[in-house]
Amino acid sequence: MEQLEYRRLIKVLEQVAGAREGELYPVLAEAVAVHLGWVDAFLAENPAYLALGSEGEEQYLTMFRPAFVEEYVERWRWNNPFASHDGVTCLTRHGVATLGQLRLRATGPERDFANKFLRRNGIDDMLKIVVRSPATGAISTLGVPFDGDRRAIEPGDLLMAATLGPLLSPYFDANLVPAAVRDLTSDE
């Protein structure tokens, strides 16, 4: 990673570190948009395909096109290539995956997800980053849509994504642990 990329990564982390309680997600979305050019990034807490057996409810925390998220939840989420065996394996092993990587072995419904749903919404490729919270066990994903006409996923984006996911974990720990639990543990 070049020095300029490290600086951009550090700026994202500095902005996230300054987030007030309860404002992590909008601050992170703004930081990756401004410093990495990842516009319209959105977060999902406890995505069912990664948090199997989790008691937590899948939540989409985004200001990204509410109608898109609603249609995804109601109609498309189980045809999402990231929820496929290959997608889950890639995200679990590497902490990052792209839709382009997963299209190679996609099923018919998974290809429909990409070709009918995502393309209709102006998304040619998608980058997913896993953020694990060691303190709570919660899993979140940061999804970054790419419009191939304006910007495609580049090798630098993949490197940045693989580096960013683990570095965000401590911030998700602090944000996801309920305040009452943090207060109890901080007195010890």
Side-chain angles (χ1 to χ4, degrees):
M1 197 179 291
E2 294 183 24
Q3 187 175 12
L4 177 60
E5 290 169 330
Y6 276 119
R7 287 183 184 158
R8 293 180 2 202
L9 181 65
I10 289 168
K11 287 182 180 201
V12 169
L13 295 173
E14 286 175 342
Q15 199 166 337
V16 167
R20 293 189 173 129
E21 187 172 334
E23 294 185 3
L24 174 65
Y25 301 125
V27 168
L28 176 58
E30 179 183 337
V32 298
V34 169
H35 302 296
L36 303 179
W38 295 350
V39 179
D40 292 331
F42 58 93
L43 285 138
E45 278 185 2
N46 297 312
Y49 55 91
L50 288 177
L52 298 174
S54 171
E55 305 252 340
E57 186 176 323
E58 187 172 46
Q59 292 183 8
Y60 300 92
L61 307 165
T62 179
M63 296 186 298
F64 178 74
R65 305 178 196 164
F68 170 89
V69 174
E70 185 177 319
E71 182 180 352
Y72 170 77
V73 170
E74 289 178 7
R75 181 168 178 204
W76 295 102
R77 74 176 163 168
W78 294 111
N79 294 327
N80 179 348
F82 294 102
S84 71
H85 176 73
D86 288 342
V88 170
T89 299
C90 190
L91 288 168
T92 302
R93 283 189 187 151
H94 306 290
V96 64
T98 68
L99 183 63
Q101 293 169 323
L102 302 176
R103 276 189 178 139
L104 299 174
R105 297 196 296 194
T107 64
E110 291 165 358
R111 282 191 299 277
D112 286 346
F113 173 86
N115 296 333
K116 293 180 180 176
F117 175 60
L118 292 182
R119 283 231 172 100
R120 179 170 36 87
N121 283 283
I123 299 170
D124 293 316
D125 207 347
M126 174 99 46
L127 176 64
K128 283 276 188 183
I129 304 166
V130 175
V131 181
R132 298 182 187 280
S133 171
T136 65
I139 297 173
S140 298
T141 59
L142 176 64
V144 184
F146 282 80
D147 172 357
D149 291 335
R150 289 182 292 160
R151 183 158 186 253
I153 297 174
E154 298 174 1
D157 292 310
L158 288 172
L159 182 58
M160 189 69 72
T163 305
L164 184 62
L167 292 174
L168 287 172
S169 290
Y171 303 106
F172 278 64
D173 284 348
N175 197 285
L176 295 175
V177 175
V181 173
R182 274 199 312 274
D183 294 342
L184 290 173
T185 58
S186 65
D187 292 338
E188 296 175 356

